[in-house]
Amino acid sequence: MTRRTLGDVPPGCRERLLAHYGPSVEEWMDAAPGLLAEAASRWNLSLMSYHDAGHASAVALAMAPDGSRLVLKAWVEPIRYRHETAALRVWAGGPTANVVHAADDLSVAALELVGGQPGGDERPVRETQAVAAAVHRLHILGRRTPEPGVPSLAGFLHEVVLPRVHHRMGILDLDSHEGLAREVRHELADLSEVPARTTVLHADLYEENVIFDVERRPRLIDPHPVEGDAVFDWAFWSVYYDLERGMADRLATAARISRIPVPEITPWCRALALDGLLYYTEIGDPARPKIAAVLSSLMTCGAGRYR
């Protein structure tokens, strides 16, 4: 029997996946509608429409027989599917989107729809404090199950981040930021984790990955999970949640909620900002001046105080 599909993935999804994976993803994009349709059929769901979002997956909205709606997500990479669903199960019942169904052979999962609509509900006024509390809660849940099936932060840093930083530093022209970049690069070897803070990390805390439910509570979605020191998430959130504003407030809030002193968080902030500066320089991203300004401001952070 031929299952009803939603047709080709949306143009925005196609563009983002091609940018992320290159031409080799074309074959998967052609197969994605069928993968979603197969998963919907298994779980007795009715496909409704695509949700044009994400850089590593195709996302659709589906309806269950009782009228409730779910998000169907098909991942390009089976390993990323396994890591993300493993982390979501560790965090089950916490401030994220719960896994309702999963098909390992398809790399497709049905997830809770947050806020009654794709993208969630409206953001609250006290957003910074609410998100910080959610990150802290996620870290508490992440400590309850050892070996959850996600890679280590140490491996990610030493096998991915540091090699690409050193490679890009050798080939890119950073103009006036060259001296700053070299100064931060020298700090990278001194980064060290505190084992007592090990947990399952979200590791992708951009603003777009934090949505809100109908009670204005944050849900942290689309993780790129690793297991390691909680300081990484706090640094990532401080730097990347909003490149234009609020970093000082986020950094202070991170230190207060996590009880990790600012001088321990800021070297990780600088490392992440350097990685971003090099990436944005390489691809000619218009966000390059913003991350350069963030990195420059982080060099004034010390002695437990952000100036």
Side-chain angles (χ1 to χ4, degrees):
M1 180 178 69
T2 301
R3 295 177 174 85
R4 187 182 76 85
T5 76
L6 294 173
D8 293 341
V9 299
C13 175
R14 177 174 291 274
E15 182 179 341
R16 289 189 300 275
L17 291 178
L18 283 169
H20 190 76
Y21 291 107
S24 63
V25 80
E26 288 275 8
E27 184 177 351
W28 183 89
M29 289 192 293
D30 291 340
L35 298 174
L36 291 167
E38 169 63 23
S41 177
R42 289 185 191 181
W43 303 324
N44 197 23
L45 305 175
S46 300
L47 290 172
M48 299 172 64
S49 62
Y50 282 113
H51 175 49
D52 195 359
H55 294 80
S57 60
V59 181
L61 193 64
M63 182 176 292
D66 64 2
S68 62
R69 293 184 296 167
L70 299 169
V71 171
L72 257 61
K73 185 173 180 179
W75 283 258
V76 174
E77 299 174 273
I79 192 169
R80 187 156 181 172
Y81 156 83
R82 293 195 296 271
H83 291 163
E84 186 166 334
T85 53
L88 291 175
R89 288 186 175 110
V90 170
W91 299 324
T96 186
N98 292 314
V99 177
V100 180
H101 303 289
D104 293 352
D105 60 321
L106 304 176
S107 297
V108 177
L111 308 174
E112 173 189 11
L113 178 65
V114 175
Q117 60 186 343
D121 210 319
E122 294 182 8
R123 294 178 177 271
V125 174
R126 293 176 58 83
E127 183 174 342
T128 297
Q129 291 78 7
V131 175
V135 173
H136 184 58
R137 174 63 177 157
L138 212 68
H139 289 166
I140 292 173
L141 294 174
R143 296 188 182 102
R144 68 184 180 183
T145 305
E147 300 182 9
V150 301
S152 71
L153 174 60
F156 175 63
L157 289 174
H158 292 288
E159 296 168 18
V160 178
V161 177
L162 297 183
R164 74 188 179 198
V165 165
H166 292 306
H167 172 71
R168 287 168 174 162
M169 285 283 292
I171 64 172
L172 295 176
D173 181 3
L174 297 176
D175 300 322
S176 60
H177 304 300
E178 182 75 30
L180 177 62
R182 291 189 180 279
E183 182 178 354
V184 177
R185 185 176 68 171
H186 291 316
E187 294 184 350
L188 298 181
D190 296 327
L191 291 177
S192 61
E193 298 184 61
V194 175
R197 298 196 297 243
T198 297
T199 185
V200 180
L201 306 171
H202 185 285
D204 214 25
L205 287 168
Y206 295 101
E207 185 179 28
E208 66 196 54
N209 290 338
V210 180
I211 62 177
F212 293 83
D213 62 22
V214 294
E215 296 181 359
R216 305 294 196 273
R217 296 175 304 190
R219 302 289 194 95
L220 314 182
I221 64 168
D222 294 343
H224 203 167
V226 293
E227 188 174 25
D229 192 330
V231 71
F232 183 89
D233 265 354
W234 292 113
F236 195 109
W237 177 64
S238 296
V239 171
Y240 284 106
Y241 194 74
D242 186 334
L243 286 178
E244 295 186 285
R245 60 185 67 85
M247 186 177 68
D249 187 27
R250 287 193 298 277
L251 185 53
T253 302
R256 177 173 57 82
I257 297 294
S258 69
R259 298 187 179 181
I260 302 173
V262 166
E264 287 189 45
I265 303 175
T266 50
W268 292 84
C269 290
R270 289 193 286 267
L272 286 165
L274 172 60
D275 191 31
L277 172 64
L278 294 169
Y279 173 65
Y280 293 153
T281 299
E282 183 175 60
I283 67 172
D285 195 291
R288 181 181 184 272
K290 298 176 185 178
I291 193 64
V294 167
L295 184 57
S296 295
S297 67
L298 282 165
M299 300 308 290
T300 68
C301 186
R305 187 167 72 92
Y306 183 87
R307 297 190 292 270

